[in-house]
Amino acid sequence: NAEIHKIKLIARSFMVLQDTTAIYNQIKGRKMDLNFANNKLDKVYVDGNGESIYFARDDETQTVVGMNKIICSSMLIRFKQEKTDKVTFYTDPDAQFLPPKELSETLTKLKGFDWLEDYRPSIDTVLGLQERSIWQPAGGAKQQTLATQAAGTIEQKDDGGE
């Protein structure tokens, strides 16, 4: 059984979680280490120029009550049961909470954000169960050049036989 244990993003790293059609929780930094346990995201360490945008929701109604924007040197995000459990910001974090009435489209996106839905690989593609060029949209359109935002490496461990 080959399992992914770590993914290293080594330049202008970006991590995005689409909350709804128009809401994207975002984390970016110079470098990121994504650590997995049992093929599930366990923790993410952002090293250098950390920035985060996270939309806060009311626990009962799930209505967006505002947006947290944080800038820091580095951060650690821990996950439990596939949800964010704890976030730690290091070295003088600068945090700002904005209510919905003060939000604009430019404020809700970190610099460099571009949601390229057609280029998003499926989990099967990432795990090597399905082949598809990352340079070609999933819909089969003509091949296009895509500027990469992060270069990465994936470390796998083959536990079969050891």
Side-chain angles (χ1 to χ4, degrees):
N1 284 338
E3 290 185 3
I4 294 176
H5 290 274
K6 183 180 278 193
I7 296 176
K8 290 180 167 279
L9 303 176
I10 56 175
R12 295 183 297 163
S13 305
F14 227 104
M15 189 167 115
V16 178
L17 174 64
Q18 186 177 21
D19 187 350
T20 65
T21 304
I23 294 179
Y24 303 91
N25 293 316
Q26 304 152 58
I27 298 170
K28 86 177 210 179
R30 188 177 18 189
K31 296 188 242 176
M32 276 189 210
D33 287 338
L34 292 79
N35 295 285
F36 294 82
N38 300 316
N39 278 334
K40 293 186 175 132
L41 191 57
D42 181 49
K43 61 186 170 183
V44 174
Y45 180 69
V46 178
D47 183 20
N49 303 329
E51 293 184 55
S52 171
I53 286 181
Y54 178 81
F55 290 87
R57 292 185 174 276
D58 179 273
D59 288 337
E60 292 180 22
T61 66
Q62 291 301 303
T63 304
V64 173
V65 294
M67 182 189 82
N68 287 307
K69 182 172 183 177
I70 300 171
I71 299 172
C72 61
S73 173
S74 56
M75 65 182 89
L76 177 65
I77 304 102
R78 295 183 185 274
F79 296 86
K80 186 183 268 186
Q81 298 175 348
E82 300 184 42
K83 293 187 180 190
T84 304
D85 181 48
K86 183 178 180 182
V87 181
T88 307
F89 301 98
Y90 299 100
T91 315
D92 299 323
D94 180 18
Q96 182 179 24
F97 183 82
L98 298 170
K101 66 181 180 178
E102 293 182 25
L103 298 178
S104 67
E105 188 171 347
T106 55
L107 289 175
T108 62
K109 308 259 186 321
L110 292 173
K111 184 177 180 183
F113 174 85
D114 194 4
W115 188 252
L116 301 169
E117 179 68 30
D118 289 341
Y119 292 94
R120 185 174 178 210
S122 69
I123 190 68
D124 289 341
T125 303
V126 171
L127 296 177
L129 302 174
Q130 172 185 350
E131 288 188 32
R132 178 173 72 88
S133 169
I134 63 170
W135 305 110
Q136 188 169 347
K142 290 183 180 178
Q143 192 166 350
Q144 300 174 8
T145 302
L146 173 66
T148 58
Q149 291 187 352
T153 60
I154 299 175
E155 295 178 9
Q156 291 185 328
K157 182 179 178 185
D158 187 353
D159 292 331
E162 288 189 33

